[in-house]
Structure formats: structure tokens, C-alpha cells
Amino acid sequence: MLDIESIRQQFPILDQKVYGKPLIYFDNAASSQKPLRVIDALSKYYKEEHSNVHRGVHFLSQRATDKFEAVRKESQAFINAEHDHEIIFTRGVTESINLVASSFGKVFIEEGDEVLISAMEHHSNIVPWQLMCNDWGAVLKVIPVNDEGELIMEEVDQILSGKTKIVAVNHVSNTLGTVNPIEEIITKAHKVGAAVLIDGAQSGPHMKVDVQALNCDFYCLSSHKMYGPTGIGVLYGKEEWLDQMPPYHGGGEMIETVTFEETTYNGLPFKFEAGTPNIADTIAFGEALGFINDLGIEEIAHWEMELHNYAVDKLMDIEGLRFVGTAKEKASVISFLVGDIHPYDIGTILDQQGVAVRTGQHCTQPLMDRFKIPGTVRASFAVYNTKAEVDAFVEALKKAVQMLS
Ligand code: 7TS
């Protein structure tokens, strides 16, 4: 059993009032808060450890390099990648997907090829593929979603063909909380020779991921949703793909030799890491991984689902409330609407009572169009949330509904 009160004490930001009310932070799917060990690691790095990495023979540079590279190994272990050079540091999921779409596209996509995504993708797993399709004359195909917010898997067999070169889907939907059957998608895609990218923005903080067991080709994580700093993320790619893909950005670090006539590239992972990397945030991300590992990701998920089920039970009592996303397999994200009240209005009144939820389209406009709604109110939990906070949120929501009806 996790000791939630002592966990909360590690998050100084939670101990504050907004508009005179205790802060209740239920916007964790957008970004989670940071424990002291992450904040302290950042501060220590700049106070005592800063130097550029991979370049100097001097003490500080070597120590910074060791700490930076240690996080690559910790990331490798976190998702059970086979090799540490299959871990590419990026700014986050958005940059990881752009990297793959751009670089994979240059070698593997030709006119008439197809890219398959789903109807519940975040814009960052839609637009990079549209850009890629525009570049090479490829066609974007979409797996539809049923009324419960689950992928219609029968359609996958219809859409997949020898033309499909890559399939890119999220592991967990940020808007609906649906946990997608990615094992099945990966198996089906591989049968037609397509690569598979999994957007793990919403799974990384909540579930054990084993990229070798999954056998996915690419997997993306964002540190800031995993108790770590902003501006750093991980792209996992199988060596066999990354080796064949050209660099995304050019500059220092990613080269082996440079002349004006010709440049040869560094090996993995550096081929994809041009320029001075985000050293401080990477090192602090290592602390965030340590925080998750020390608590145990299964324990975290268990507590979050307990909060989820507790909240769903309470919310069901509110007249006119309907959930958007009622999949059988769900993570701790709750999207809902009440009557015909606009989600922004609910969000504003909740905010005035100290409750931070997200309202709107959640960067999934096509999904909102699919459900013919302008957006939702979304509450999403992290390990530091409590049942007392859920109670206060439900009371605040009742008040909001009363005012707006
Ligand atoms: N994919 C999914 C499934 C996401 O939830 C997000 C961010 C991203 C990609 C992009 O990640 P980034 O770290 O590169 O920004 N999702 C949200 C959200 O739900 N509300 O704010 C950001």
C-alpha cells in the first residue's frame, strides 16, 4: 500500500491555495507535478555539475556525461529495450513522432503508400503523418472508434494491406482513457510488413511497458507527464530501423567526419541527437524514473484506478452527466459532459473552487468531431491524488452544475 500523504509531501506545489481554496490538481494527463528529488536534481546540476557533455576531457564534462548517459540506461531498463543506443533523447513525444515521420518517410515511403493512425490520436500523432504524406504522396488511413471509445478492430483487417508502411497509434487515449489493444495491432501490422509506432505519452506514467515483449518498432515517452521536467522525452526505436533512417537534424554530435564535400554520420544514438542536448532535464528525468520505480508502477496504477472507480461512482449521481469514453480497458482519465452545459463553463467554475481540470478538445479535434461534441471536461489522476480530493471535486461540480443549469 502506498502512503499517499507522505508522497504528497514530496510535491511542494500541491501545498497551496488558489482563490483561497486548497488546490486540487486533476490535470495530470496534460502534465504531472514534480517531486522534490526531481527539483533538487535540477538545482544541484546547475549549482555543482554543469558542463557540456561528450566533448571535454575535464572532470566536470566527464561527470556530466556519465550522469547523462546513465539516464539512457535507466530509460532502456524502464521500457526494457534491448540496447541503450535504441534510446534517443528528444524534447518529448511530439518531437519523437516528427522525427520518425520525417526520417522514416525519406527512406520507406513512396507515392501511393499508406500510413494508418486511429480516430483517437492526439494532434501530434496526426499532423506529422499528414506532413509526411504530403511530402511523398502517401495516403493517411484511420481506424474508426465506436460509441464507447474503443477502436473498431475488425476495420483494421480491412484497412491493412501491403501498401501500409507504418501504423501509429496511442497506447492510452489522453481524451477517453481507453487502453488500446496494441499487441493485436502490432501483430496484425507486422503481418503486412508495416512498422508500428506507439505513442506512449499516456501509458508511460501509468503502466509497465516492455518494448521487446510488445515487439513495437518505435515507442515514445514524455518526461513531463511522468513526474519529470518539461523539454525531454524518449524515442525508442529498433536498431534495425534507426540504422536505416537518415538523421533528422544536422549539427554537432551527430557527425563522424565533416568536409565541405561530404559528411559521414555518427552511430546510434548520436546520429539523432544533433547539438548540445537538454542535459539538466535529462538528468532530472532520471530522478523521475527513480521516483516511479521506487513506488512501483503497478502500485501507482492500482491507486490511480481506485481513484478513477471511486470518482466514476460518485459522478454517476450527478443528473445529466454522461461519460465520454466508457471502454472496457481504461486508464485513470475521466472525460464527461453535463447536459448541454459547455465544458469551458464547468471548467471555469471548478477553477474558482480550486479544482484544476482540463476542458476543451484535448488536442483531439477529429475525435470530438466523431462524437459531435465541442469538447469535454477531463479529470485525470496521478499518484498524489486522494479520495478526499475526489469528494471535493464532485461537490464543486455539483455547485457548478447548479449554477449553470
Ligand atoms: N500524445 C498524447 C496521447 C498526448 O496525450 C500528448 C500530450 C502528446 C502526444 C504530446 O505530448 P508532448 O509531451 O510532446 O506535448 N497531451 C496533452 C493533453 O492531453 N493535454 O495537454 C497535453
Side-chain angles (χ1 to χ4, degrees):
M1 276 288 277
L2 297 174
D3 178 353
I4 303 303
E5 270 319 307
S6 89
I7 291 171
R8 284 181 74 79
Q9 280 161 22
Q10 299 169 47
F11 289 81
I13 200 168
L14 298 175
D15 184 22
Q16 66 175 293
K17 293 195 166 154
V18 294
Y19 314 113
K21 304 269 165 47
L23 168 68
I24 295 176
Y25 188 78
F26 283 173
D27 194 18
N28 296 287
S31 199
S32 63
Q33 301 299 349
K34 321 303 169 198
L36 272 173
R37 64 191 278 186
V38 168
I39 301 166
D40 290 347
L42 276 174
S43 161
K44 181 171 161 45
Y45 173 77
Y46 282 122
K47 278 188 198 149
E48 300 170 21
E49 299 170 342
H50 172 66
S51 178
N52 212 331
V53 290
H54 302 136
R55 299 172 189 207
V57 291
H58 60 81
F59 180 84
L60 279 186
S61 176
Q62 285 191 0
R63 189 173 59 183
T65 303
D66 289 348
K67 291 194 89 167
F68 178 82
E69 287 301 324
V71 181
R72 202 183 302 277
K73 288 210 172 341
E74 285 155 26
S75 305
Q76 176 197 358
F78 192 77
I79 56 171
N80 193 33
E82 189 176 356
H83 305 292
D84 60 356
H85 56 255
E86 294 176 318
I87 301 294
I88 314 291
F89 289 127
T90 64
R91 283 191 290 128
V93 169
T94 301
E95 189 176 53
S96 295
I97 297 173
N98 276 280
L99 186 161
V100 175
S102 166
S103 185
F104 186 95
K106 284 187 182 131
V107 264
F108 296 113
I109 303 291
E110 289 174 4
E111 197 173 336
D113 282 345
E114 291 176 1
V115 175
L116 179 58
I117 61 170
S118 90
M120 64 169 89
E121 299 309 317
H122 188 279
H123 294 161
S124 66
N125 201 26
I126 301 174
V127 185
W129 304 112
Q130 287 176 324
L131 293 169
M132 180 182 98
C133 287
N134 286 342
D135 282 347
W136 307 110
V139 181
L140 191 69
K141 298 273 179 167
V142 183
I143 308 169
V145 167
N146 67 19
D147 290 342
E148 284 71 45
E150 296 164 325
L151 296 179
I152 304 177
M153 288 302 292
E154 300 77 61
E155 297 275 333
V156 175
D157 296 314
Q158 307 301 315
I159 306 171
L160 280 174
S161 76
K163 286 187 193 165
T164 318
K165 292 291 153 15
I166 189 160
V167 179
V169 290
N170 61 40
H171 197 165
V172 174
S173 158
N174 64 311
T175 302
L176 307 172
T178 310
V179 180
N180 285 315
I182 58 168
E183 293 85 350
E184 193 182 336
I185 293 171
I186 292 164
T187 307
K188 285 181 192 293
H190 283 171
K191 278 204 183 120
V192 297
V196 181
L197 176 142
I198 304 296
D199 169 354
Q202 299 294 341
S203 45
H206 309 291
M207 60 179 70
K208 178 81 196 118
V209 172
D210 181 333
V211 291
Q212 289 187 76
L214 285 171
N215 196 21
C216 57
D217 302 283
F218 302 97
Y219 201 96
C220 313
L221 297 172
S222 278
S223 149
H224 72 95
K225 296 188 198 283
M226 305 170 67
Y227 309 105
T230 53
I232 180 70
V234 161
L235 168 64
Y236 158 80
K238 274 188 192 161
E239 182 183 42
E240 65 204 70
W241 289 114
L242 294 176
D243 267 343
Q244 296 178 74
M245 286 158 52
Y248 180 47
H249 292 146
E253 296 265 354
M254 52 74 72
I255 51 84
E256 188 182 53
T257 60
V258 179
T259 67
F260 289 120
E261 289 71 39
E262 193 193 19
T263 290
T264 57
Y265 306 128
N266 206 339
L268 295 174
F270 307 110
K271 181 172 87 173
F272 290 108
E273 294 181 0
T276 299
N278 187 350
I279 309 164
D281 293 317
T282 306
I283 290 171
F285 174 50
E287 283 300 320
L289 293 178
F291 171 80
I292 294 175
N293 288 336
D294 288 353
L295 294 180
I297 196 147
E298 278 95 2
E299 294 282 312
I300 294 174
H302 187 263
W303 174 242
E304 289 167 343
M305 281 316 285
E306 199 170 320
L307 288 175
H308 170 277
N309 296 341
Y310 182 77
V312 165
D313 255 15
K314 298 234 152 189
L315 289 170
M316 280 200 296
D317 290 343
I318 294 179
E319 213 185 295
L321 186 143
R322 64 191 165 101
F323 296 106
V324 182
T326 50
K328 278 184 242 31
E329 296 293 330
K330 274 203 68 186
S332 55
V333 172
I334 304 176
S335 259
F336 63 88
L337 287 165
V338 188
D340 55 6
I341 306 174
H342 199 282
Y344 286 126
D345 295 334
I346 293 179
T348 304
I349 295 179
L350 287 177
D351 174 54
Q352 285 161 5
Q353 298 176 83
V355 182
V357 292
R358 181 131 305 215
T359 55
Q361 300 180 335
H362 318 295
C363 295
T364 53
Q365 191 183 338
L367 184 64
M368 298 295 93
D369 292 346
R370 150 72 181 83
F371 281 97
K372 298 189 173 59
I373 53 179
T376 73
V377 182
R378 182 187 71 183
S380 52
F381 304 118
V383 68
Y384 40 68
N385 291 128
T386 66
K387 288 186 181 172
E389 288 184 312
V390 173
D391 290 339
F393 154 65
V394 173
E395 285 314 305
L397 180 61
K398 283 181 181 162
K399 213 184 254 182
V401 171
Q402 209 172 27
M403 285 169 72
L404 295 163
S405 298

